[in-house]
Amino acid sequence: MGYLTLAGAIVSEILATTSMKYSDGFTRLWPSVGTTVGYLLAFALLAQTLKTLSVGTAYAIWAGTGTAVIAAIGIVFLGESASPLRILGVLLVIAGVVVLNMGGAH
C-alpha cells in the first residue's frame, strides 16, 4: 500500500509542477489552482507513505522520479534542450535513487 500512495504522490507532484509552468508566475487562475491542489495532494500522500516506508527510501523515489519525469516532459513537450550533459544528469539522478534503495527499503 505504501508504494501505491507513493505513486499517487509522485503523479500529483508531476501534475503540480507541470501546472506551475503554465501558471505564468501564478498569474493564471486555473494552472495556479492546479499547482496548489496538486502539491497539497502530493504532500498529503507522501505523509501517508511515510507511515509504512522509510523517509530516505520514500523521498529518494519521490524526488528522483519526479525530477526525471519533469525533465523528460520539458524535453519532449516543452522544447527544452536534450543535451548529452542534461541526459547524463537525469541518469545520475536515477542511479542515485537505485543506489539508495540497494540498502533495502524499510
Side-chain angles (χ1 to χ4, degrees), residues 2-90:
Y3 286 103
L4 188 60
T5 55
L6 180 57
I10 292 166
V11 169
S12 296
E13 186 260 339
I14 290 166
L15 292 173
T17 302
T18 304
S19 293
M20 189 185 307
K21 170 69 176 166
Y22 292 105
S23 75
D24 196 28
F26 294 108
T27 61
R28 297 180 62 220
L29 177 63
W30 293 114
S32 299
V33 169
T35 300
T36 303
V37 170
Y39 277 121
L40 287 172
L41 182 59
F43 283 110
L45 290 170
L46 184 60
Q48 292 302 307
T49 299
L50 296 179
K51 290 180 177 181
T52 57
L53 295 178
S54 70
V55 68
T57 297
Y59 194 76
I61 294 170
W62 183 68
T65 304
T67 299
V69 172
I70 287 297
I73 288 171
I75 291 167
V76 174
F77 297 108
L78 302 174
E80 295 179 2
S81 163
S83 70
L85 197 56
R86 179 172 235 193
I87 292 169
L88 175 63
V90 171

